[in-house]
Amino acid sequence: MVDNNYEKIVERIAKASNLEKEEVKRRVEAKIAKLSGLISKEGAAQVVCAELGISFDNERLKIDELLPGMRKANVIGKVIRLFPVRTFERQGKTNKVANFMIADETSNIKVVLWDTNHIALIETGKIAEGSVIEINSGGVRDNEIHLGSFSELKLSKEVLDKVKADKVVREKSIIDFKPMDSVSVRAFVVQAFDPKFFYVCPECKKKAVSEGEGYLCAEHGKVVPEKRALVNLVLDDGTETIRSVLFHETLGEIGLTQLDNVEMLSNQKQDLLGKEMIFSGNVRINKFFNNQEFIIESVRKFDLNELLTQLEK
Ligand SMILES: [Zn+2]
């Protein structure tokens, strides 16, 4: 569900309703205006669909055609990543939830399973990485397909060779960031904090905790750790600000190289303020502060010429 698929969605609605594409767009925009911009283009398109009496209920869709708010989405995809089944407590009862990513030739999306019969397919190994599966009556929300007890999940005989397994990074405004999003945003650095240092196991790169005079890795025991750093930034794109985390590997990319030299670092931090760059990464919930934070994976210089070429298109 990347932004330029809006065109595809409009096309589909136009075809199903016999309206001109421009007319469909006009209706979507009117809907957004009526709701004071509180709804996304895709969400508004879904409302327009409903008003036109169009439903894609029994139609099989490609992943990039799924719209937020769909309740009966049918889709086929290859499982490209399977996450461990998790258990959680709710009202004194133990429940399970499972997730996997599926891909087709257009895109990929996360699927969330709530039904124990569906989850059993994973637990028994019937659905594994590489399996092609068919979903019927899935609910689409927040860029995920949710399967409840009314949804159908089964193996498909279809062969999917070329699937789009790359992470779908979407350009988004900070105000629209949601947990689990892979996003890129053009934003200004408005605050930069001092680095925090921590230690990792040289083998598995997981956190090593100090014990006595040495360091311990949960898996590798006593280790001579590597020193790592992270820096918190606050980014602002004009819609909202977000606290962000920049790890060791990317600090150099934004010009923070003198982490151990207080004075030089302070100058580098000063230089950073007000700089506009393109940041890509993942949104997650910071459990400690219970708010969203942005884990930056890569930083690109913002190139005005690039923007101009984009606008000309
Ligand atoms: Zn280790």
Side-chain angles (χ1 to χ4, degrees):
M1 282 184 277
V2 277
D3 268 353
N4 56 22
N5 288 308
Y6 173 64
E7 287 291 328
K8 256 178 120 174
I9 293 161
V10 168
E11 214 160 283
R12 255 184 177 275
I13 298 173
K15 218 164 139 193
S17 62
N18 283 323
L19 290 172
E20 292 290 323
K21 274 202 295 190
E22 291 313 312
E23 172 61 16
V24 173
K25 282 188 188 170
R26 202 192 54 74
R27 290 189 186 203
V28 170
E29 256 131 53
K31 196 55 65 190
I32 295 173
K34 198 172 162 196
L35 295 166
S36 324
L38 289 171
I39 191 166
S40 68
K41 266 199 251 179
E42 289 86 352
Q46 172 73 6
V47 176
V48 169
C49 266
E51 286 180 356
L52 289 167
I54 302 170
S55 118
F56 298 117
D57 277 1
N58 292 312
E59 245 186 281
R60 185 183 310 152
L61 299 174
K62 297 291 179 196
I63 293 174
D64 71 351
E65 293 170 330
L66 296 171
L67 288 173
M70 283 183 171
R71 294 208 187 106
K72 291 183 174 177
N74 300 347
V75 73
I76 282 187
K78 184 184 255 180
V79 178
I80 53 168
R81 207 167 150 208
L82 197 60
F83 302 94
V85 175
R86 286 188 294 122
T87 56
F88 62 97
E89 305 280 330
R90 187 178 284 166
Q91 293 165 344
K93 249 185 85 188
T94 304
N95 297 288
K96 285 183 189 175
V97 62
N99 301 306
F100 53 70
M101 297 287 301
I102 58 165
D104 66 10
E105 67 275 27
T106 67
S107 189
N108 54 64
I109 191 166
K110 188 174 176 188
V111 181
V112 186
L113 316 182
W114 299 99
D115 184 85
T116 47
N117 294 317
H118 296 155
I119 294 171
L121 295 172
I122 295 177
E123 290 170 325
T124 55
K126 285 197 178 100
I127 289 180
E129 273 178 21
S131 303
V132 176
I133 52 119
E134 181 177 342
I135 287 168
N136 292 303
S137 296
V140 183
R141 46 180 214 252
D142 289 345
N143 297 319
E144 297 174 345
I145 305 177
H146 286 253
L147 302 188
S149 47
F150 295 105
S151 314
E152 194 182 7
L153 171 67
K154 59 186 182 195
L155 285 165
S156 163
K157 289 202 177 74
E158 227 160 283
V159 180
L160 291 182
D161 280 330
K162 282 197 185 132
V163 297
K164 195 168 168 179
D166 304 342
K167 219 187 255 176
V168 181
V169 177
R170 314 191 309 148
E171 272 177 47
K172 258 193 177 183
S173 299
I174 294 176
I175 200 163
D176 295 325
F177 279 16
K178 298 237 170 61
M180 311 290 291
D181 272 351
S182 281
V183 282
S184 83
V185 64
R186 178 156 60 92
F188 292 98
V189 179
V190 292
Q191 232 179 320
F193 294 88
D194 278 330
K196 287 179 195 148
F197 295 99
F198 58 100
Y199 293 88
V200 298
C201 165
E203 258 177 90
C204 62
K205 309 292 178 197
K206 283 185 187 142
K207 206 163 190 171
V209 290
S210 89
E211 203 196 63
E213 285 169 15
Y215 281 84
L216 265 188
C217 165
E219 200 186 329
H220 297 100
K222 254 193 181 165
V223 290
V224 181
E226 289 172 7
K227 191 179 180 187
R228 290 296 164 101
L230 67 81
V231 167
N232 286 114
L233 300 175
V234 177
L235 302 182
D236 187 340
D237 73 343
T239 67
E240 183 61 280
T241 62
I242 192 163
R243 193 180 166 88
S244 311
V245 191
L246 203 61
F247 282 98
H248 211 81
E249 298 73 18
T250 33
L251 290 175
E253 288 177 38
I254 100 172
L256 299 177
T257 53
Q258 299 291 333
L259 300 182
D260 292 309
N261 183 322
V262 176
E263 205 172 310
M264 286 174 84
L265 180 68
S266 159
N267 289 336
Q268 289 183 339
K269 271 169 48 187
Q270 205 57 42
D271 285 345
L272 196 58
L273 296 183
K275 270 212 179 126
E276 190 175 26
M277 284 176 270
I278 297 166
F279 299 89
S280 303
N282 299 299
V283 183
R284 71 170 189 200
I285 293 286
N286 180 314
K287 291 211 175 89
F288 188 74
F289 295 111
N290 197 26
N291 58 7
Q292 292 194 132
E293 64 181 10
F294 185 37
I295 311 300
I296 298 167
E297 282 186 346
S298 67
V299 184
R300 269 195 304 136
K301 283 210 179 95
F302 164 58
D303 183 352
L304 189 61
N305 289 325
E306 194 183 312
L307 180 71
L308 290 174
T309 343
Q310 263 183 25
L311 288 176
E312 277 164 16
K313 267 189 220 161

